Amino acid sequence: MITLLITGVFTIAFIAVFFPKKSPALISAEQSYIEVDDARIIADDNLKICLKEFHQGLISKAYLHSELTDQIPLVLTLETESEVLKKNYKTIAKADKVFGFRSSKIFLGHLGMPVVSSFMGLFLLLLFFKEEDFFWRKVILAFGLTALLTGLFYVIWVFYPKPDIPESIYILMLFGMDIGASCISYIIGRYIYNLSRIDLKLKIHHLMHLIMGDIRQKYINKLSKEDRTKYLSDYIGEIKNLSQK
């Protein structure tokens, strides 16, 4: 089950690669519209050139009349056909949309990573209940909630019926992510600080062991009774002062 789940999540993340940017029907409709519209533009440009040449005295009135008689019906026919093909293209493009996205490829491309993030968040939350170390429980919980909330936010954005989510939702999400990042930074900072304190305690313990063991055996025991008493008194006094700070 775990293998199937991982495979499924991986497939969702990259399945958009196997989908075309545009459907064959949309490509055909687009090409037909472009061909007719290009022909309309050329015919219209020819009319403008004829009028310009007539005003410049390069062609006769009879030739202009002949060109207008041939080109004007062609332009009108091409304009009508172009409008029909344009409407057909828009109809097919609208039918190809998936939850507001232009194609399945774009839809799956936007959906893939949020789904992966959501599953990662769920996995970390499950791991949170298995982890025994208190510090790592807090870290896993923080990262799990961040991944889950971020993933779910963009999953909702993908299926949201309007063009975009209201700006206030973005602000709330950024505010929540800032709080999450601050909590993670605080936890990691406390962990590093505690590690430094542990390291300092180990060094102090090593020093105390050296003072109470090796130095006492090698040097203090060789002193007179009065000097040993004075050493122990000073040592205990210093320990009391440290404990009170």
Side-chain angles (χ1 to χ4, degrees):
M1 290 299 295
I2 293 175
T3 302
L4 289 174
L5 182 62
I6 294 174
T7 304
V9 172
F10 180 83
T11 302
I12 292 174
F14 295 98
I15 196 173
V17 176
F18 302 100
F19 283 77
K21 293 182 179 180
K22 297 178 181 179
S23 66
L26 183 62
I27 294 174
S28 176
E30 184 181 22
Q31 289 177 346
S32 299
Y33 165 68
I34 291 174
E35 288 176 2
V36 173
D37 198 57
D38 286 344
R40 177 191 63 80
I41 293 173
I42 293 172
D44 189 61
D45 288 340
N46 289 334
L47 281 177
K48 293 177 181 178
I49 292 172
C50 286
L51 289 171
K52 183 179 179 180
E53 290 178 346
F54 174 75
H55 289 299
Q56 292 176 349
L58 298 176
I59 59 175
S60 64
K61 187 176 181 180
Y63 181 81
L64 174 64
H65 180 73
S66 174
E67 286 295 314
L68 293 177
T69 302
D70 292 337
Q71 294 296 324
I72 288 177
L74 177 62
V75 170
L76 293 176
T77 301
L78 291 174
E79 283 183 351
T80 303
E81 188 177 354
S82 176
E83 287 296 323
V84 172
L85 292 174
K86 185 177 181 181
K87 289 180 180 179
N88 182 53
Y89 169 74
K90 289 184 176 180
T91 300
I92 296 175
K94 186 176 181 180
D96 282 354
K97 285 186 175 181
V98 179
F99 291 100
F101 294 95
R102 292 195 304 271
S103 64
S104 300
K105 183 182 185 70
I106 299 175
F107 166 72
L108 292 172
H110 282 84
L111 181 64
M113 294 313 297
V115 170
V116 174
S117 178
S118 300
F119 273 100
M120 182 62 69
L122 288 174
F123 170 75
L124 290 174
L125 291 180
L126 291 175
L127 189 62
F128 165 77
F129 294 103
K130 297 291 184 180
E131 179 61 43
E132 297 181 356
D133 184 83
F134 180 69
F135 167 76
W136 286 110
R137 280 171 63 89
K138 293 191 291 184
V139 173
I140 291 171
L141 179 62
F143 277 102
L145 289 175
T146 301
L148 181 60
L149 291 176
T150 303
L152 289 178
F153 171 80
Y154 283 103
V155 169
I156 294 172
W157 177 80
V158 168
F159 291 101
Y160 198 70
K162 294 183 179 180
D164 202 356
I165 293 176
E167 185 178 352
S168 57
I169 303 297
Y170 280 109
I171 295 174
L172 289 175
M173 281 295 299
L174 289 174
F175 183 71
M177 292 176 69
D178 287 339
I179 293 177
S182 299
C183 292
I184 293 172
S185 300
Y186 173 76
I187 292 170
I188 295 176
R190 283 294 302 272
Y191 180 68
I192 295 174
Y193 173 71
N194 289 332
L195 284 180
S196 64
R197 291 189 63 186
I198 292 173
D199 184 61
L200 179 61
K201 289 178 181 179
L202 290 174
K203 291 179 179 178
I204 293 175
H205 177 75
H206 179 72
L207 179 61
M208 296 294 292
H209 178 76
L210 177 66
I211 293 173
M212 293 299 294
D214 296 346
I215 294 179
R216 185 182 64 182
Q217 293 177 4
K218 294 179 180 179
Y219 306 105
I220 304 302
N221 290 341
K222 296 179 181 180
L223 297 175
S224 63
K225 183 177 181 180
E226 182 180 353
D227 290 335
R228 287 201 303 271
T229 302
K230 180 70 168 55
Y231 165 76
L232 291 174
S233 176
D234 293 341
Y235 178 78
I236 293 173
E238 186 62 27
I239 293 298
K240 289 181 180 180
N241 290 333
L242 290 173
S243 63
Q244 292 175 358
K245 290 182 180 180

